Amino acid sequence: MKNISQNRFLGMEVDTPPLPEQQKMAAILSSMDETIERTTVVIDQIHAVKKAMMQELLTQGIPGRHTRFERTRIGEMALFVGSGSTPRGGHQAYVAAGIPFLRSQNVHFEGLRLEDVAHISISTHEAMFRTQVRPGDVLLNITGASIGRCTTVPDGLQTANVNQHVCIIRLDPAKAEPAFVSAALSSDAGQREINNAQAGLSRQGLNFQGVRGLPIDLPPIEAQREIARQSEGLNRRIACEQKVELALRQLKSALLSALLSGEIQVTPDKAFS
């Protein structure tokens, strides 16, 4: 393992400002930490509300309405279940700009995160024609530590493709609402079914047969749409707060670098000079 000896570590030279300036820097950074923590608490609170609300909606239906649920399976309402593959050349096939190539790190319960999305050429995309995603597709991670994370492809993403770690579930619109199915798979009950489906496999993963066999308690389509609307509303709130949290962490990192480099100077009397 890579390491550094204690003597070498203790002998490292560090540029340090006078103690009063150190204390002022620490106060500024602590204030940033408190703001980040408050945002994290808000995210946790929305998650808790979502969990409780989805538990009720997915088992009891819309409050004040009699909702009949029918047990079905993904394979009974899906038009297509499949995943992509690694393009020839692996990472070497990625291009600076082109067709978004979705990987498991892009698929999250609150939606797609495209900050670090890879891209492939149009020719590669066309060669992988079976795994071109469409708006409304449900994307489910089927291998690795993020197995079970799922979301839907938004209307704003008209063209994309996926790698072998992401499964596309394309539903019959007459039978199932994609955002409802995504919410059901994301629930505690849905995650238990996913864990059960991949139990006993030699490596952490879920095959297509297992995906098709995942059970869903399905209400009438209008109830599905209403439950999906409420779920997506909470997802948007969570995603918005997560963006704020990320921006604050990036700001703190930049501020720390500026303070330590002397680009921003502080005095005990005022924060910046």
Side-chain angles (χ1 to χ4, degrees), residues 4-30:
I4 183 171
S5 68
Q6 183 178 12
N7 288 338
R8 190 171 181 182
F9 177 73
L10 294 176
M12 291 176 62
E13 295 183 353
V14 179
D15 293 328
T16 55
L19 183 59
E21 293 183 25
Q22 294 181 43
Q23 292 170 334
K24 191 68 176 183
M25 291 181 187
I28 294 170
L29 295 172
S30 293

Side-chain angles (χ1 to χ4, degrees), residues 60-69 219-220 223:
Q60 305 298 321
I62 309 300
R65 304 185 200 171
H66 174 69
T67 305
R68 177 179 55 82
F69 288 84

Side-chain angles (χ1 to χ4, degrees), residues 152-217:
T152 58
V153 177
D155 291 338
L157 187 64
Q158 292 295 316
T159 307
N161 217 304
V162 297
N163 71 359
Q164 71 274 23
H165 304 297
V166 181
C167 179
I168 299 171
I169 302 172
R170 186 164 298 141
L171 299 163
D172 182 342
K175 296 179 179 179
E177 173 68 24
F180 172 86
V181 173
S182 177
L185 291 175
S186 301
S187 69
D188 288 347
Q191 293 294 293
R192 283 194 299 270
E193 294 293 350
I194 290 171
N195 289 333
N196 292 338
Q198 55 116 14
L201 297 178
S202 59
R203 61 191 297 272
Q204 194 173 34
L206 190 63
N207 57 34
F208 298 153
Q209 182 179 357
V211 173
R212 292 188 183 96
L214 291 173
I216 299 283
D217 290 326

